[in-house]
Amino acid sequence: MNHAQSGTTSYRIEHDTMGEVRVPADHHWGAQTQRSKENFKIGGQRQPKEIIYAFSCLKDACARANASFGKITASQAEAITQACEEIRAGKWDEEFPLVVWQTGSGTQTNMNVNEVIAHLAADHGVTLHPNDHVNRSQSSNDTFPSALHIAAVLAVTNQVLPAARKLADAFAALEQKYPDLIRIGRTHLQDATPLRFAQEVSGWRELIEAPCRMLELSLTELRKLAIGGTAVGTGLNAPDGFDQKVCEELTRLTGVEFAPDGNKFHALTSKDALVFAHGALKALACNLMKIANDIRWEASGPRCGIGELHIPENEPGSSIMPGKVNPTQCEAVTMVAVQVMGNDTAITVAASQGNFQLNVFLPVSAYNFLLSARLVADAMESFRIHCVEGIVPDEERMAHNLHNSLMLVTCLTPRIGYEKAAQCAKKALHDGTTLKEAVLALGYLNEAAYDEAVQPEKMV
C-alpha cells in the first residue's frame, strides 16, 4: 500500500475491482468502505453498533466453520476471531463510519466489516483478503439478514426483556404494598364502580408481561438465519453443512440458540419474522403509552386534577411558573411509544419490498428495529427508576372520591331496580347531595338498609 499526504491528513492507496482509492492512513477500512463513505453522505445516521457487533459474531462463526471445512487455514481463522473479539469489545467503533442510507442489501457494511477485519489481521502479521478469506462461503445477501436477526434477537433478549421484567416487578411490589386500598374506577373518563388499587396496578403489570410473552414467541422465527444461502438462496460457493456449523458456533459465542432457515429463498427475500417481532415491540409500546397516560392523569394536580397518586418530583417543570412539577417520565415514555409506532410503519413497508430473490430495504429495517428496542428498553428503565418505584397513592383523596362517587349506586340495582337507581344518582347530581341523601329522600331504602347495601369493599 502506498502512502500520501494531503494537507494535514495522511492517506494510503487501497484498491478494489474498480481501481484505486485514497483511504485515511489512520483507519483500518478499505476501498469499498471509502467509496460508500464518499457516495452516501445522507443523514448521518450510522449503522447501529448492534449490527456491527452481530457481524463480528457472524464473521467469527463463519471463520471457524470455514476452517473446519478446510476453506481457510487455522491461523487465518484465528486472526479473524481475534479481530472480531476486539470489535465486540468496542475497541474499533470508529472504524465503521457508514450510514444507514446506502445500498439496500447492506453490501457496503458487510465489506466494511470484512475490510476492517483484514486490516486488523495484517497488524498482527496475518495476510487476509476481505473477500477471499473473511467473506469466504458468504454473500452480503445472506450475511446482512443474518446479522439483522442476530442483532434483533440479542436486543430483545438482553435489553428489552430484562428491562420489562424489572418494570413488571416494580408494579408487583406496588400491588403488594397496598393490597386493600380501594379507589373509584373510571371508564369513558367518567366515574365507574370501585376496584382495589392493587387490581388496577395488576392490570399495568400484565400490560408489560403480556407483550413480553409475544416477544418471546417471536424469537422462534428470528433465531432462523439466512446464512448459507449466499447470493440468491442456492448456497453457491458454500460447503454443504456450512449453515448448520455457523449456527452452532454462533450459539456457542452468544449463548443464544440460532438455527439455519430451512428455506433460504424465503430467508433472503422475506422480513416477516422481523415484522412479527416488531409488532410485539409495538404492542409493548402501546401498553406503555396507556400506563403512562393512566399514571399522569391520576397524578394530575396537585390541587385541581384527580390527584390520587403522588409521583416523584424530579426537576422543575416550568421556566415561568415557580413550583410547577410535571410528569416528565410519563411524557418521555409516550414520546418513545410514538416513535416505535412510526418505526413499525417503516418496517412494515420495507418488508413488503422483497422483490425477486432479495429484500433491498435491510439497513432501514435494522435501524428502525434496533432503535425501537433500545428506546423501549431505556424508557422502561428510566420510567421504573424515576417514576414507578416512587409512586405513592393519596389514600385520603382516594377515599373522598370513592365515597363521593355516584356510581356506588350500581350495587343498589339488585334491590331497587335499574331505573330507580338511576333516579337516585341523577337526583344526587342535580341537588348536589350525596347518593345516600338522595336515596333516603326518595324513600327507596332506610339508612340501615343503605349502609348494609353500599359497602365498597364488597364491590371489588
Side-chain angles (χ1 to χ4, degrees):
M1 285 174 282
N2 298 320
H3 289 261
Q5 188 101 9
S6 176
T8 59
T9 304
S10 179
Y11 293 93
R12 69 177 186 275
I13 303 302
E14 292 274 344
H15 77 277
D16 58 15
T17 57
M18 296 183 70
E20 294 185 342
V21 180
R22 289 199 316 170
V23 176
D26 58 345
H27 284 289
H28 287 78
W29 63 72
Q32 291 196 48
T33 302
Q34 189 65 30
R35 290 187 192 279
S36 180
K37 192 172 185 294
E38 293 172 359
N39 291 339
F40 296 96
K41 296 177 180 179
I42 302 173
Q45 293 84 11
R46 288 189 182 187
Q47 287 286 347
K49 286 183 181 179
E50 296 94 332
I51 283 290
I52 303 303
Y53 294 173
F55 258 112
S56 74
C57 292
L58 182 62
K59 296 295 177 180
D60 191 343
C62 286
R64 295 168 189 266
N66 274 317
S68 73
F69 287 105
K71 299 299 181 180
I72 61 176
T73 68
S75 61
Q76 289 170 334
E78 181 57 35
I80 293 171
T81 290
Q82 183 178 349
C84 289
E85 288 173 350
E86 292 181 3
I87 291 169
R88 287 198 294 278
K91 186 175 179 180
W92 303 107
D93 287 353
E94 294 309 309
E95 299 303 310
F96 304 98
L98 301 189
V99 295
V100 172
W101 322 107
Q102 53 163 282
T103 176
S105 63
T107 298
Q108 291 143 11
T109 289
N110 179 44
M111 286 308 303
N112 181 194
V113 175
N114 290 337
E115 289 174 344
V116 170
I117 290 172
H119 281 92
L120 290 175
D123 288 348
H124 296 287
V126 180
T127 300
L128 296 176
H129 190 281
N131 299 81
D132 294 337
H133 300 116
V134 187
N135 202 62
R136 189 66 181 260
S137 309
Q138 305 154 60
S139 163
S140 298
N141 295 356
D142 66 351
T143 57
F144 197 102
S146 294
L148 170 51
H149 276 215
I150 294 165
V153 168
L154 295 179
V156 169
T157 302
N158 298 334
Q159 297 177 44
V160 178
L161 291 176
R165 291 181 184 117
K166 289 179 183 177
L167 180 56
D169 287 345
F171 284 128
L174 195 59
E175 290 176 63
Q176 294 160 12
K177 191 172 183 178
Y178 301 97
D180 300 317
L181 181 59
I182 300 175
R183 65 178 311 161
I184 197 64
R186 295 178 179 87
T187 58
H188 303 270
L189 295 181
Q190 305 296 307
D191 300 352
T193 55
L195 75 163
R196 296 186 191 279
F197 175 60
Q199 291 173 321
E200 179 179 41
V201 177
S202 77
W204 295 340
R205 172 175 50 78
E206 184 65 12
L207 284 166
I208 302 300
E209 293 176 341
C212 284
R213 293 192 293 272
M214 299 172 199
L215 273 171
E216 288 168 344
L217 184 64
S218 76
L219 294 178
T220 301
E221 295 299 320
L222 272 183
R223 290 191 183 104
K224 298 178 182 179
L225 303 185
I227 196 67
T230 65
V232 296
T234 60
L236 180 67
N237 291 349
D240 290 341
F242 180 75
D243 55 355
Q244 183 63 46
K245 182 63 176 174
V246 171
C247 288
E248 289 172 3
E249 293 292 344
L250 277 169
T251 299
R252 185 186 60 78
L253 280 170
T254 64
V256 176
E257 185 176 355
F258 291 98
D261 193 308
N263 187 318
K264 301 298 192 295
F265 308 102
H266 161 265
L268 266 62
T269 196
S270 174
K271 292 275 77 62
D272 48 12
L274 200 74
V275 172
F276 184 71
H278 196 273
L281 265 180
K282 183 180 69 170
L284 178 56
C286 290
N287 286 358
L288 286 167
M289 172 80 86
K290 192 263 190 237
I291 294 168
N293 278 335
D294 281 356
I295 290 173
R296 65 176 170 179
W297 269 107
E298 292 176 10
S300 61
R303 291 188 174 178
C304 300
I306 293 176
E308 292 185 353
L309 295 180
H310 296 299
I311 59 177
E313 298 181 353
N314 297 319
E315 63 273 317
S318 173
S319 61
I320 189 173
M321 292 175 280
K324 195 172 193 297
V325 179
N326 296 327
T328 51
Q329 289 294 318
C330 296
E331 291 165 7
V333 167
T334 56
M335 286 192 289
V336 163
V338 167
Q339 183 65 56
V340 173
M341 294 172 198
N343 292 349
D344 192 72
T345 298
I347 289 172
T348 300
V349 174
S352 72
Q353 303 301 307
N355 303 111
F356 307 120
Q357 278 69 59
L358 185 67
N359 181 290
V360 291
F361 288 73
L362 296 175
V364 71
S365 298
Y367 176 75
N368 281 281
F369 187 96
L370 295 169
L371 176 60
S372 290
R374 196 180 316 121
L375 285 175
V376 168
D378 287 351
M380 287 191 293
E381 275 289 277
S382 183
F383 188 46
R384 173 180 64 83
I385 293 167
H386 300 293
C387 182
V388 174
E389 290 180 346
I391 290 176
V392 177
D394 188 325
E395 299 186 42
E396 185 178 341
R397 186 70 172 262
M398 283 187 179
H400 170 78
N401 288 340
L402 172 66
H403 293 290
N404 196 43
S405 170
L406 300 179
M407 288 304 99
L408 297 179
V409 75
T410 306
C411 64
L412 297 181
T413 302
R415 296 200 177 201
I416 63 176
Y418 184 92
E419 292 189 9
K420 288 181 179 180
Q423 183 184 1
C424 293
K426 290 180 179 181
K427 178 175 175 58
L429 181 62
H430 181 269
D431 295 348
T433 65
T434 66
L435 179 63
K436 182 176 182 178
E437 289 170 333
V439 172
L440 296 181
L442 289 169
Y444 292 141
L445 291 174
N446 59 35
E447 185 170 359
Y450 179 92
D451 291 341
E452 194 275 332
V454 182
Q455 297 182 53
E457 61 273 15
K458 292 184 177 180
M459 300 175 69
V460 298

